[in-house]
Amino acid sequence: MKFQVERDTFADAVSWTAKSLPARPSVPVLAGARLSVDDGTLTISGFDYEISTRVTVEVTGESAGTALVSGKLLAEIVKALPNKPVDFVVDGPHAELTCGSARFTLPTMPLEDYPSLPQMPEAIGTIDAEEFAKAVAQTAVAAGKDETLPTMTGVQVELSGGGIGMLATDRYRMAIRDSSWEPGASDVAVTVLVPAKALADTARTFGSLSGPVTIAVPAGGEGAPGMIGFTAGGRQTTSRVLDGQLPPLRSLLATSYATTLKVKTSELIEVARRVALVGDRNSPIRLSFDEDGLVVEAGGAEDAKASEAMDCSLDGEPGKIAFNPTYLLDGLSAVDAPYTAFKMNELGKPVVMTGQPAPEDEDSDTNHDVYLYMLQPLRWDA
């Protein structure tokens, strides 16, 4: 096998594949990147029994064949090469890579031990790449990290003829994002729980690509599908799905709220970060609000304290709430809107955060209510 390819194109493709490869694979070949050349096209793929990736690039001077080499090592080498065409030749148990005067020899890995990659499932619809990336980022932030509760580490993707819903929770907070898409059929009704990390990695890559993202799930069968696939810009990835589903999170939302506190998002982020400097990682940030404004406070060890006042708009009764600083800042960053509304019915109960337009844009068509971030307050300790 041999081929010649542009360095930047090759580096981008290899780097993307290598990111999904396991750092400590159960068997050595799973750390490999599979390179296959046929009819002027190089396909680079990886698979660890949970996530598969495929990317195709055009090459010249090719001779058909397949080889398996260490993916992360190849990515590091190609990234460091000069900006010149790369020649890649496989000869028996070794692969030789040449770029200008730089020359590398890599051992190949046994192809016969490498597992067969899963086939891409049936496409059921498409979504705008930028919208897909934003929706995943806004929901994955609320997914849990505790592997002993695997269901909580996923983002639930609800696909229907009316739209896509993404939901996540770690029991202390939850996020819900609804998006429009182009379903392949009006009667689509599929719900899958996708590992949050795998989905977030895919969304970050596909969000920068041109064109739509195609979503694919296996057709037929009983119960939830065992995998989900995404395709965009010459790249394909599949991921296993988690067993089970999240609790009915939408049922936790109230139909109306007695109190709404509206603040400028960027200003509250800056203020919260400043006052949090005196506390440790889990010291609560306290928000007290009335018709005169909002006061943000925090306290730490050895009587260290900080407070800062800022403007707000209040519709309802004055009150006091306290939040985990990391969770609060995660929510404010995810809202991605000029203003954030804190909606509540009873102090001490979960608070819903939604994006709000700037006052001068309130008559615009932008719908910020498609994203909801619910956060459980902490006990108020003055």
Side-chain angles (χ1 to χ4, degrees):
M1 182 189 83
K2 68 176 182 179
F3 62 86
Q4 184 179 85
V5 63
E6 291 298 318
R7 197 274 303 211
D8 288 348
T9 302
F10 193 36
D12 190 40
V14 173
S15 174
W16 180 67
T17 302
K19 285 179 182 177
S20 66
L21 298 177
R24 291 180 292 275
S26 55
V27 291
V29 292
L30 296 183
R34 183 177 183 270
L35 283 67
S36 179
V37 176
D38 185 41
D39 196 23
T41 300
L42 167 66
T43 301
I44 306 172
S45 52
F47 184 42
D48 65 354
Y49 290 109
E50 294 191 1
I51 298 170
S52 76
T53 56
R54 289 185 186 88
V55 57
T56 58
V57 296
E58 294 182 357
V59 295
T60 59
E62 79 281 358
S63 176
T66 303
L68 186 68
V69 297
S70 170
K72 294 188 182 298
L73 177 58
L74 180 62
E76 291 176 358
I77 290 172
V78 177
K79 182 180 178 181
L81 292 175
N83 191 16
K84 295 180 179 180
V86 178
D87 288 290
F88 195 96
V89 179
V90 176
D91 183 13
H94 295 92
E96 188 172 277
L97 185 152
T98 306
C99 181
S101 59
R103 186 183 302 271
F104 293 84
T105 300
L106 304 176
T108 58
M109 306 168 84
L111 274 168
E112 60 272 17
D113 295 339
Y114 196 70
S116 298
L117 272 70
Q119 294 298 311
M120 180 60 62
E122 178 183 352
I124 62 170
T126 61
I127 182 174
D128 176 77
E130 186 176 347
E131 173 70 10
F132 174 65
K134 185 174 181 179
V136 172
Q138 287 183 312
T139 47
V141 69
K145 306 294 192 296
D146 187 354
E147 295 296 338
T148 64
L149 298 170
T151 302
M152 299 295 178
T153 65
V155 173
Q156 185 160 296
V157 182
E158 300 174 343
L159 304 157
S160 69
I164 295 180
M166 297 188 186
L167 306 86
T169 182
D170 62 1
R171 297 181 299 163
Y172 306 105
R173 53 183 171 168
M174 76 174 191
I176 300 176
R177 177 63 149 81
D178 293 315
S179 304
S180 59
W181 74 318
E182 295 293 334
S186 60
D187 60 349
V188 171
V190 178
T191 297
V192 290
L193 189 60
V194 187
K197 184 180 183 305
L199 187 61
D201 289 345
T202 297
R204 274 192 294 270
T205 299
F206 285 11
S208 62
L209 301 177
S210 59
V213 175
T214 298
I215 301 175
V217 295
E222 296 293 330
M227 64 184 294
I228 187 170
F230 303 95
T231 304
R235 302 185 182 196
Q236 297 181 353
T237 183
T238 65
S239 171
R240 70 177 179 93
V241 299
L242 300 170
D243 294 331
Q245 294 186 10
L246 295 177
L249 300 181
R250 294 182 190 271
S251 66
L252 301 177
L253 300 173
T255 56
S256 62
Y257 296 92
T259 300
T260 299
L261 171 69
K262 184 177 177 181
V263 298
K264 191 172 183 180
T265 305
S266 59
E267 184 178 356
L268 182 54
I269 289 175
E270 293 177 2
V271 170
R273 284 175 175 166
R274 277 196 292 269
V275 301
L277 293 173
V278 300
D280 57 36
R281 183 177 180 182
N282 295 315
S283 295
I285 287 183
R286 302 185 294 273
L287 280 64
S288 55
F289 49 90
D290 55 30
E291 59 275 5
D292 295 326
L294 169 67
V295 176
V296 184
E297 305 172 85
E302 299 179 1
D303 295 326
K305 295 181 180 179
S307 67
E308 189 168 342
M310 58 181 290
D311 294 333
C312 72
S313 171
L314 179 64
D315 180 9
E317 296 297 318
K320 298 179 178 180
I321 48 178
F323 296 115
N324 175 293
T326 300
Y327 293 173
L328 174 62
L329 288 167
D330 283 347
L332 289 170
S333 298
V335 161
D336 191 29
Y339 285 77
T340 297
F342 293 79
K343 301 179 180 182
M344 61 203 90
N345 280 323
E346 183 181 343
L347 295 179
K349 298 296 184 181
V351 175
V352 171
M353 298 165 57
T354 63
Q356 298 287 305
E360 63 271 17
D361 296 328
E362 288 184 347
D363 295 330
S364 70
D365 294 332
T366 303
N367 183 10
H368 293 288
D369 289 334
V370 295
Y371 179 64
L372 302 170
Y373 183 88
M374 179 182 278
L375 182 56
Q376 175 64 47
L378 303 176
R379 187 180 66 181
W380 179 280
D381 292 323

